Amino acid sequence: MLKNFAITFGALLLLGGIGTLLWSNMSRFLEQPQFTLVASHGPIEIRQYKSAAAAEVTVMGDRDEAARDAFRILFRYISGNNGATDKISMTAPVIQSPTDAESWTVAFYLPSDFSPETAPQPEDTRVSIVPISDATVAAIRFSGRWSPQNLKEQQARLEAFLQEEGLTALGPPTFAFFNDPLTPPPFRRNEVQIRISG
């Protein structure tokens, strides 16, 4: 009896470990925007990104509420709710940016074989296809929950780094999330990104 319990418990631990490993590595199978690493300072990197295209939508509400609503709208677009009824591959990360005190803009990068001119046009007029120009970006990578406190702390760390290094921010921070909500927080890859002069 005890032996059977030990075997069952061990199997569950093994399956749990495999599941966690798959969750934590899922984003590696998704296309991500291309960049050149300019410098690395622990969890903070300076990157040079190439231009890209994205589908974005602006939604009213706090970050959590807006992110949920925007994700559904954008996911319908890449699932075929577009003029060509094409299915478009999911990419990572999902980008969230505060638009003002009451709304957020959420964006999906489009696969690199799309440009703003060649991307299927959205059926939903709330979705826009936008160009993202090449840029130098400072990014801090961290794990954990997507709580306002965690994001605020990491943003403060990145802004302090920019100040110490004499780097100039060219806009507000952007929050980048590479994993789905089922990924355990310790295995999530999250980033705060800020465009800088360079």
Side-chain angles (χ1 to χ4, degrees):
M1 180 74 175
L2 187 59
K3 182 179 180 181
N4 288 340
F5 174 78
I7 292 172
T8 302
F9 184 69
L12 289 173
L13 284 177
L14 178 61
L15 288 174
I18 292 172
T20 297
L21 184 63
L22 288 174
W23 274 333
S24 63
N25 286 284
M26 190 63 71
S27 65
R28 295 185 184 180
F29 299 103
L30 302 179
E31 183 178 346
Q32 299 180 19
Q34 298 179 348
F35 67 84
T36 300
L37 181 62
V38 176
S40 180
H41 306 266
I44 297 175
E45 293 181 345
I46 307 299
R47 305 168 182 165
Q48 181 65 48
Y49 277 92
K50 295 183 177 181
S51 59
E56 71 173 26
V57 61
T58 299
V59 178
M60 301 293 291
D62 63 25
R63 193 190 65 80
D64 287 343
E65 180 184 8
R68 284 192 299 271
D69 292 344
F71 187 94
R72 286 192 289 266
I73 294 167
L74 292 172
F75 192 77
R76 284 197 295 269
Y77 165 71
I78 67 170
S79 297
N81 187 31
N82 54 67
T85 64
D86 285 345
K87 293 188 183 300
I88 301 169
S89 298
M90 185 69 190
T91 62
V94 175
I95 299 295
Q96 300 175 6
S97 306
T99 308
D100 53 40
E102 299 179 346
S103 63
W104 285 77
T105 296
V106 179
F108 286 3
Y109 283 98
L110 296 180
S112 57
D113 52 345
F114 287 114
S115 69
E117 294 73 32
T118 62
Q121 289 305 299
E123 290 290 322
D124 190 329
T125 57
R126 294 172 294 180
V127 178
S128 299
I129 305 302
V130 298
I132 299 178
S133 60
D134 57 340
T136 304
V137 171
I140 184 169
R141 180 172 175 168
F142 60 100
S143 60
R145 298 186 180 279
W146 302 329
S147 66
Q149 184 62 29
N150 199 14
L151 299 181
K152 186 177 180 180
E153 289 176 359
Q154 299 302 325
Q155 178 182 336
R157 289 180 65 192
L158 183 57
E159 289 174 341
F161 170 82
L162 296 184
Q163 188 171 13
E164 290 168 5
E165 297 295 318
L167 300 171
T168 302
L170 297 181
T174 294
F175 303 101
F177 304 100
F178 291 76
N179 305 100
D180 62 69
L182 294 178
T183 303
F187 297 98
R188 291 177 183 173
R189 176 184 173 185
N190 314 313
E191 292 184 355
V192 181
Q193 302 178 352
I194 298 178
R195 286 192 173 211
I196 60 174
S197 57

